[in-house]
Amino acid sequence: MTLPALPRRLLLGTALGASLGASLGAAAPHAARAQGAAQLLNVSYDPTREFYRAFNAAFAGQWKARTGQTVRANASHGGSGRQARAVIDGLQADVVTLALAYDIDAIAERGLIAPDWQKRLPYNSAPYTSTIVFLVRKGNPKALRDWGDLARPGVSVITPNPKTSGGARWNYLAGWAWALRQPGGERAAQDYLATLFRNVPVLDTGARGSTTSFVQRGQGDVLLAWENEAYLALAEFGTDKFDIVHPSLSILAEPPVAVVDRNVDRRGTRALAEAYLQALYAPEGQALAARHHYRPRDEAALAAAGDRFPRLELVTIDDPALGGWRRAQATHFNDGGLFDRIYQPGQ
Amino acid sequence: MTPRRRDPLPGFGLSLGVTLLWLLGLVLIPLLALLLRPLELGPAGFWHSVTEPRVLAALRLSFLGALAAAAATVPPGLLVAWVLVRYRFPGRRLLDGMVDLPFALPTAVAGLALTALYAPNGWLGAPLAALGLKVAYTPLGVVLAMAFVGLPFIVRTVEPVLRDLPREAEEAAATLGASRAQTLWRVVLPALAPALLAGFAMAAARAIGEYGSVIFIAGNMPMVSEIAPLLIVVRLEQFDYAGAAAVGVAMLALSFLLLLALNLVQRLWRRA
Amino acid sequence: MTPSTTEPRGLRWLLILLAALLLGVFLLLPLAAVFTEALRRGWPPMWQALSDPDALAAIRLTLLVAAIAVPVNTLGGLAGAWCIARYRFPGRALLLALIELPFSVSPVVSGLVWVLLFGAHGWFGPWLEARGLQIIFAVPGLVLATLFVTFPFVARTLVPLMQEQGREAEEAAATLGASGWQSFRRVTLPGIRWALLSGVLLCNARAMGEFGAVSVVSGHIRGETNTMPLHVEILYNEYQFVGAFAVAALLALLALVTLGAKALVERGTARGAAA
């Protein structure tokens, strides 16, 4: 009597558990997409939070006026590398707006985006640019004017980790580009970066973490930051606390954007996603970018911004000295690359 | 599988079936995925991946930090347990409730609060900095956060044992002329030792993997104040899944060894 | 009680004071810091931060995740505690050890395992993708990560108690002809209800407060896959410190309510034991 009862009950228990699991699986997707409006997900990087919050609202208005359809544009922010990873892992992004082309290339390599993505939109698919500047304490007490000053003894420099942060890679490469133009060539440039990174007391994983360390926690004498991030810090924490220093030479940071082909084709959102990116290039989008301290491509918007974006010498990532993202990544940031060799904390 | 022939108590099959399914689906299969992932690296690749200087430094910080934090919480944990069990005073219930705070407080909130408190411009960080002691953004901050999450484990494992400790032994020792200090040292402490060790093991095990409360206060400097769980996140950001899983496996293996060693010590203790 | 089995009155008070001071500085001060920072600019900004649509969505999502995860782990925990405490069978100790395993697994790993299983490049990734199902970066992923982290809480609080109780009462009920369900409801449940409640409370507190595991599987979409702890981090990263600490304060308040409820439950246990 009891012998057959055991397997039967075991079966019953298993079935009970399985049905529970199934109901769980069935219930969840409903919760995720409850609204009837069209949804668009923009997966972006850290310092664009404020800009895309404003842009998403503006775009929703435009789209409604043009097509009559209500659209809810969502944004996800984080370190650029982490965000690219999430998209590769299946985060259903319609568009990606990341810190560097390398991260979008990584998504393209997995077949989610067409390989020629960077040619599909004007200006290398980067609707706005930025550069790397120094944010210093008010009055610039350590007299930090150019890259050379950052390697002086007793100067404390805050920058995120180039291994994980897109912004930090721009920081690093801007310093490298400057150093290569100094006497001594590549050898001296390596020594310069090694000395510079010995002055770094905290290496956060993302640009926002570094800004918080510098601004909120009072760490360091100078923060290497995106120009837009530096202006935002001034706006948030008061111009009486910090100054922005533009060095003699910096890098032209081009944060690119792309439609995630595989996702939009499956979700049927291609028209919406393409219109979204086009709107970034339109006058309204350009003005909004300028208002959030990104350098607009549009000459009119740039002129309207006045002297907030001083002209300085900017090298690009495709400069022969840097050789494009692929080479820069391999030489400097991959495991065993130059950064690993020069950065030896605790020794 | 049959527990006994004709067990009068029904429900064995049902409960075991549910338990196994629950365990298999939610813990064992996922962990299997973790264990199998680094296989694609090959043994040499796996070894290389977990013995990189930065990984070793992070594992060292996570483990030594956890041990230090657990050890540091033993005396205060013992004191609190003692006071709660042996003394009656107004506010005892409140004190008792406070002990569980780190259990219930979300780790991210704890991390945020500790950072705000111990940063160089925080309530406690400023006076400590004046004394030349930096807590936030140093390994010391990591240990502090780990101690925060570990304290309740010590108190809660010692408390029941202390409550059940027969007073007769203490009385006998006192009658035989032992001073109070001698009694505590020779009679009470040895009786509490296994519970202390168990609490220590649980606090350490929890602290090794702790992420939310540590991450805000650590400063995350590679080789200095970077914990092993963060390294997993960093490797994920570099699309290095196998490498991330390798660090996860290494952490699991080391935690397991630690718990095994403490278990052995406990067994030897009991036999002695 | 002979006077020599306790400490002199002065020392006693010194120790009590020391313990209170210790807990105050070490545990209470961080809590005070959260509330102070949240109220730095008074009530209105705090209230505004909490009634923001994204914050409300985060609160709803947190409650939803806990509402799914806690019952599942309660049922599983009950079943696990029942077979471990009521029967002897080979592998019993191993089963208990496996149930406790998630305690010593890092939260980050608890999230990672689900990515390895259900991520686009995980074991079941292609299968899910072909069917248009989304687990990671959606609510099911959050639920699974939370389930893993809070897995042992209920079983762990029940096993020692049920082992202590023994199986005589249920055996007697069975002999008297009670069905399994009747015996469970009339005999077992009343004996364990306070411990069960206490385990459920802790499980719930952890489910609502989990950060590391959920962070790995969330995707951080505002208003969609952000739970409250993740929303705290996001606000913090947007320099909305008042907002970040406001949501943190709400979470801390939930923790305090949990502790209060647990204290009440434990008083109930003590009364139940005395009766």
Side-chain angles (χ1 to χ4, degrees):
Chain A
M1 280 283 268
T2 45
L3 263 179
L6 182 72
R8 204 193 48 183
R9 291 217 170 119
L10 199 74
L11 213 70
L12 186 68
T14 313
L16 197 83
S19 65
L20 225 147
S23 64
L24 190 144
H30 284 292
R33 328 195 157 80
Q35 293 99 334
Q39 300 246 353
L40 178 93
L41 176 58
N42 172 7
V43 170
S44 193
Y45 63 111
D46 253 332
T48 58
R49 295 165 191 269
E50 291 74 16
F51 167 54
Y52 277 113
R53 184 196 288 265
F55 179 78
N56 285 348
F59 176 74
Q62 287 171 15
W63 187 257
K64 176 101 183 159
R66 182 138 50 105
T67 67
Q69 189 187 23
T70 307
V71 59
R72 187 177 141 88
N74 293 312
S76 162
H77 298 273
S80 190
R82 176 175 89 178
Q83 295 293 82
R85 195 264 304 169
V87 173
I88 289 170
D89 268 338
L91 181 58
Q92 295 294 306
D94 297 290
V95 300
V96 284
T97 55
L98 295 179
L100 27 102
Y102 181 79
D103 288 327
I104 299 188
D105 277 337
I107 304 173
E109 264 169 38
R110 268 80 172 177
L112 275 74
I113 298 176
D116 67 339
W117 64 271
Q118 211 163 5
K119 299 199 181 68
R120 293 194 296 200
L121 286 166
Y123 302 112
N124 290 326
S125 286
Y128 41 79
T129 67
S130 191
T131 186
I132 300 302
V133 300
F134 305 165
L135 188 69
V136 297
R137 310 260 168 224
K138 189 71 193 173
N140 199 355
K142 295 256 169 127
L144 306 167
R145 308 252 169 261
D146 207 352
W147 290 98
D149 299 323
L150 304 185
R152 283 201 322 241
V155 174
S156 171
V157 183
I158 305 294
T159 170
N161 187 346
K163 304 276 272 193
T164 54
S165 155
R169 275 177 238 174
W170 291 112
N171 292 348
Y172 172 105
L173 289 174
W176 174 251
W178 175 86
L180 282 180
R181 301 204 177 182
Q182 310 307 310
E186 203 154 302
R187 185 75 234 158
Q190 288 185 14
D191 291 342
Y192 164 75
L193 280 182
T195 326
L196 171 68
F197 274 93
R198 261 198 290 282
N199 282 346
V200 177
V202 187
L203 211 54
D204 289 283
T205 47
R208 266 301 147 90
S210 282
T211 313
T212 310
S213 293
F214 180 78
V215 169
Q216 192 71 5
R217 305 276 167 242
Q219 299 273 305
D221 302 308
V222 52
L223 171 75
L224 300 185
W226 297 91
E227 187 179 46
N228 55 293
E229 185 80 354
Y231 275 115
L232 182 72
L234 286 194
E236 290 282 333
F237 298 98
T239 44
D240 55 333
K241 292 212 181 78
F242 307 102
D243 283 327
I244 291 176
V245 174
H246 283 90
S248 68
L249 173 127
S250 195
I251 196 160
L252 179 71
E254 297 182 290
V257 301
V259 167
V260 184
D261 296 295
R262 179 111 69 89
N263 293 348
V264 293
D265 288 342
R266 192 168 43 212
R267 288 157 54 101
T269 47
R270 177 174 284 280
L272 181 65
E274 279 172 355
Y276 182 84
L277 292 188
Q278 289 292 346
L280 286 169
Y281 288 90
E284 198 181 338
Q286 291 282 298
L288 215 49
R291 198 174 315 142
H292 286 89
H293 319 295
Y294 280 93
R295 296 186 171 213
R297 296 285 195 178
D298 183 48
E299 287 299 328
L302 190 60
D307 59 354
R308 275 192 302 136
F309 301 124
R311 297 206 177 260
L312 66 155
E313 195 185 347
L314 296 174
V315 297
T316 71
I317 184 68
D318 294 314
D319 189 278
L322 303 175
W325 271 117
R326 232 165 259 276
R327 208 185 101 199
Q329 180 73 26
T331 330
H332 296 279
F333 308 123
N334 278 353
D335 283 345
L338 186 61
F339 178 72
D340 278 346
R341 277 176 278 139
I342 60 161
Y343 187 67
Q344 307 277 339
Q347 289 177 18
Chain B
M1 279 299 239
T2 333
R4 271 178 214 173
R5 224 176 305 148
R6 288 201 63 95
D7 191 312
L9 217 56
F12 177 70
L14 179 73
S15 63
L16 189 66
V18 171
T19 308
L20 285 181
L21 188 85
W22 175 61
L23 189 67
L24 211 66
L26 288 179
V27 174
L28 296 185
I29 292 178
L31 282 180
L32 195 67
L34 176 81
L35 291 178
L36 293 184
R37 191 65 189 230
L39 284 185
E40 66 190 53
L41 294 171
F46 176 79
W47 186 248
H48 179 76
S49 173
V50 297
T51 53
E52 225 175 75
R54 188 167 165 209
V55 179
L56 284 180
L59 286 172
R60 197 179 310 131
L61 176 64
S62 276
F63 274 82
L64 296 184
L67 289 180
T73 47
V74 166
L78 185 58
L79 170 73
V80 171
W82 178 266
V83 166
L84 286 178
V85 171
R86 286 298 173 94
Y87 304 152
R88 289 290 167 272
F89 54 95
R92 192 185 69 93
R93 204 171 274 283
L94 193 71
L95 217 56
D96 187 50
M98 266 162 62
V99 172
D100 282 326
L101 196 64
F103 271 151
L105 200 65
T107 52
V109 176
L112 219 56
L114 289 174
T115 312
L117 215 51
Y118 288 94
N121 54 6
W123 290 350
L124 294 177
L128 287 173
L131 295 173
L133 199 63
K134 273 192 69 181
V135 180
Y137 316 122
T138 66
L140 192 61
V142 174
V143 174
L144 183 90
M146 287 173 165
F148 180 84
V149 296
L151 183 67
F153 287 97
I154 308 270
V155 179
R156 289 301 181 227
T157 39
V158 170
E159 248 186 324
V161 181
L162 192 58
R163 198 173 294 131
D164 292 345
L165 207 64
R167 287 286 181 105
E168 287 80 13
E170 285 171 64
E171 276 165 25
T175 327
L176 290 173
S179 75
R180 184 65 188 151
Q182 280 173 325
T183 311
L184 289 182
W185 185 250
R186 295 273 174 77
V187 179
V188 177
L189 203 60
L192 291 182
L196 277 174
L197 194 69
F200 173 85
M202 280 163 68
R206 171 75 203 269
I208 285 168
E210 184 52 30
Y211 180 71
S213 53
V214 175
I215 213 70
F216 289 91
I217 202 173
N220 309 326
M221 298 258 299
M223 312 289 292
V224 178
S225 61
E226 188 177 58
I227 54 169
L230 177 68
L231 210 59
I232 296 180
V233 174
V234 168
R235 287 206 161 166
L236 278 180
E237 283 172 6
Q238 298 170 2
F239 314 118
D240 184 5
Y241 297 85
V247 176
V249 170
M251 283 181 68
L252 269 185
L254 285 171
S255 308
F256 182 72
L257 283 179
L258 176 78
L259 290 180
L260 200 71
L262 288 172
N263 234 323
L264 264 175
V265 171
Q266 219 165 358
R267 234 171 246 191
L268 288 177
W269 213 317
R270 236 172 253 157
R271 212 170 291 164
Chain C
M1 192 190 305
T2 42
S4 49
T5 60
T6 186
E7 289 72 42
R9 198 181 153 77
L11 182 64
R12 221 153 60 201
W13 280 104
L14 189 72
L15 288 179
I16 292 172
L17 209 68
L18 202 64
L21 195 74
L22 198 102
L23 290 184
V25 170
F26 198 57
L27 302 183
L28 225 47
L29 212 53
L31 202 64
V34 170
F35 286 104
T36 318
E37 293 278 342
L39 290 172
R40 178 158 286 201
R41 290 189 211 139
W43 288 97
M46 174 168 167
W47 186 246
Q48 212 178 338
L50 288 179
S51 50
D52 175 79
D54 287 341
L56 289 177
I59 293 171
R60 265 198 306 273
L61 181 62
T62 303
L63 294 179
L64 174 72
V65 168
I68 302 174
V70 174
V72 171
N73 275 342
T74 303
L75 273 180
L78 263 172
W82 177 268
C83 60
I84 285 172
R86 290 290 184 264
Y87 308 95
R88 314 210 131 259
F89 54 95
R92 205 170 55 110
L94 180 71
L95 189 64
L96 184 62
L98 286 177
I99 288 178
E100 290 190 353
L101 187 64
F103 263 143
S104 44
V105 173
S106 173
V108 174
V109 174
S110 317
L112 173 66
V113 291
W114 298 109
V115 177
L116 295 179
L117 274 184
F118 298 123
H121 297 264
W123 284 4
F124 304 111
W127 188 87
L128 288 167
E129 205 181 328
R131 278 151 194 79
L133 293 171
Q134 180 89 13
I135 289 191
I136 300 298
F137 309 121
V139 179
L142 297 172
V143 171
L144 288 172
T146 308
L147 275 170
F148 189 103
V149 171
T150 58
F151 189 85
F153 279 90
V154 172
R156 217 203 138 89
T157 38
L158 288 184
V159 168
L161 177 73
M162 287 174 72
Q163 271 174 338
E164 204 176 299
Q165 284 175 343
R167 43 185 281 159
E168 287 75 21
E170 280 107 350
E171 274 177 15
T175 321
L176 292 174
S179 75
W181 174 241
Q182 279 174 327
S183 144
F184 175 77
R185 236 188 41 164
R186 301 273 172 77
V187 179
T188 314
L189 210 51
I192 60 165
R193 63 176 168 208
W194 295 113
L196 180 67
L197 202 57
S198 156
V200 167
L201 280 172
L202 275 181
C203 180
N204 185 53
R206 187 72 203 269
M208 295 206 286
E210 180 49 33
F211 173 74
V214 165
S215 164
V216 176
V217 297
S218 149
H220 306 270
I221 311 170
R222 293 170 154 278
E224 295 262 330
T225 61
N226 271 329
T227 61
M228 281 165 79
L230 296 176
H231 196 60
V232 171
E233 192 205 14
I234 285 196
L235 290 175
Y236 187 75
N237 280 337
E238 292 182 355
Y239 309 127
Q240 303 185 33
F241 296 111
V242 170
F245 279 101
V247 181
L250 184 62
L251 277 167
L253 208 64
L254 283 174
L256 288 179
V257 169
T258 305
L259 290 186
K262 198 167 158 283
L264 282 180
V265 164
E266 265 150 22
R267 200 178 292 184
T269 323
R271 206 168 298 152

